[in-house]
Amino acid sequence: MKLIVGLGNPGKEYVGTRHNAGFEWIDRFAEMLHVTLKPEIRFHGLCAHVDQKDTDLWLLQPQTYMNVSGRAVVALCQFYKIQVEEMIVIHDELDLPPGIVKLKKGGGLGGHNGLKDIAAKLGTQDFWRLRIGIGHPGDRSAVVGYVLHPPRKEEAQLIAEAIERSLEVWPLLAQGACEAAMLKLHTKT
């Protein structure tokens, strides 16, 4: 892996919301690695560079708002010649309950506008995704309000635990052993 993208919306009003689970993952990972995300105008986001043995690794939080996340992803991928199979996108997932985290490659986009924009800009949806469960409000018309608000206390705890569990499989992902990471992650949840 050469690029980890955490999806969310910029701005204080979105901190801690369900839709910012990807940002939370990146914040936690950056903290573990003792790196600081800094604004990178050319990549339309907050970035950090990490030396991982023989591989350069980039962390990215697009600051373009969720619906146009692809702009930041493509800018960084093109500049550093990062291939689709060398990146993973971390995002909130309505179809999984809080506390569940799943890894997958490709497949449907589940109506997630951030994923849709990334797939459209890359010309493929065949990239790795780490899906952090946030649950569903039960009514399709309530989704927008639901994802843009903080989870209840017990849900927030489950989401935080899922993020921590997913960080444990990073060494496998770093080696490109995504199938092994998936097996380990999915047998823990």
Side-chain angles (χ1 to χ4, degrees):
M1 290 291 161
K2 293 183 178 179
L3 172 60
I4 306 174
V5 180
L7 297 185
N9 282 311
K12 289 181 182 177
E13 66 270 31
Y14 298 109
V15 172
T17 63
R18 292 176 178 96
H19 224 14
N20 278 30
F23 275 14
E24 289 179 36
W25 195 99
I26 292 286
D27 287 341
R28 182 68 188 98
F29 191 53
E31 184 180 299
M32 282 175 50
L33 296 176
H34 307 289
V35 297
T36 303
L37 295 161
K38 296 178 181 167
E40 286 282 351
I41 294 169
R42 64 185 165 172
F43 303 134
H44 316 286
L46 299 177
C47 300
H49 177 252
V50 182
D51 271 326
Q52 292 273 108
K53 297 180 185 167
D54 298 332
T55 306
D56 286 331
L57 174 67
W58 286 92
L59 308 181
L60 171 64
Q61 290 177 337
Q63 298 295 292
T64 55
Y65 290 95
M66 184 68 77
N67 296 355
V68 286
S69 298
R71 181 177 174 204
V73 173
V74 167
L76 198 144
C77 284
Q78 286 179 343
F79 190 85
Y80 289 109
K81 296 177 178 35
I82 296 171
Q83 303 303 308
V84 172
E85 60 274 4
E86 298 172 321
M87 65 176 255
I88 185 168
V89 177
I90 319 290
H91 65 90
D92 59 301
E93 178 62 63
L94 284 164
D95 294 334
L96 296 174
I100 301 297
V101 62
K102 299 282 183 181
L103 181 65
K104 80 173 192 173
K105 185 176 184 184
L109 303 172
H112 195 290
N113 290 330
L115 293 177
K116 285 180 184 178
D117 192 62
I118 291 169
K121 298 279 191 315
L122 291 174
T124 182
Q125 49 194 59
D126 198 28
F127 50 87
W128 284 98
R129 305 153 200 192
L130 186 69
R131 305 158 57 217
I132 301 169
I134 61 166
H136 197 285
D139 182 354
R140 190 174 161 172
S141 66
V143 166
V144 172
Y146 180 79
V147 300
L148 295 178
H149 284 88
R152 294 189 318 265
K153 185 177 179 179
E154 62 276 10
E155 292 172 334
Q157 180 63 36
L158 291 170
I159 292 167
E161 290 168 6
I163 289 171
E164 291 302 316
R165 273 196 320 278
S166 67
L167 287 166
E168 292 172 12
V169 302
W170 170 250
L172 292 170
L173 292 171
Q175 298 166 17
C178 296
E179 304 294 338
M182 189 185 311
L183 181 64
K184 184 175 181 179
L185 187 62
H186 294 187
T187 56
K188 283 187 164 190
T189 56

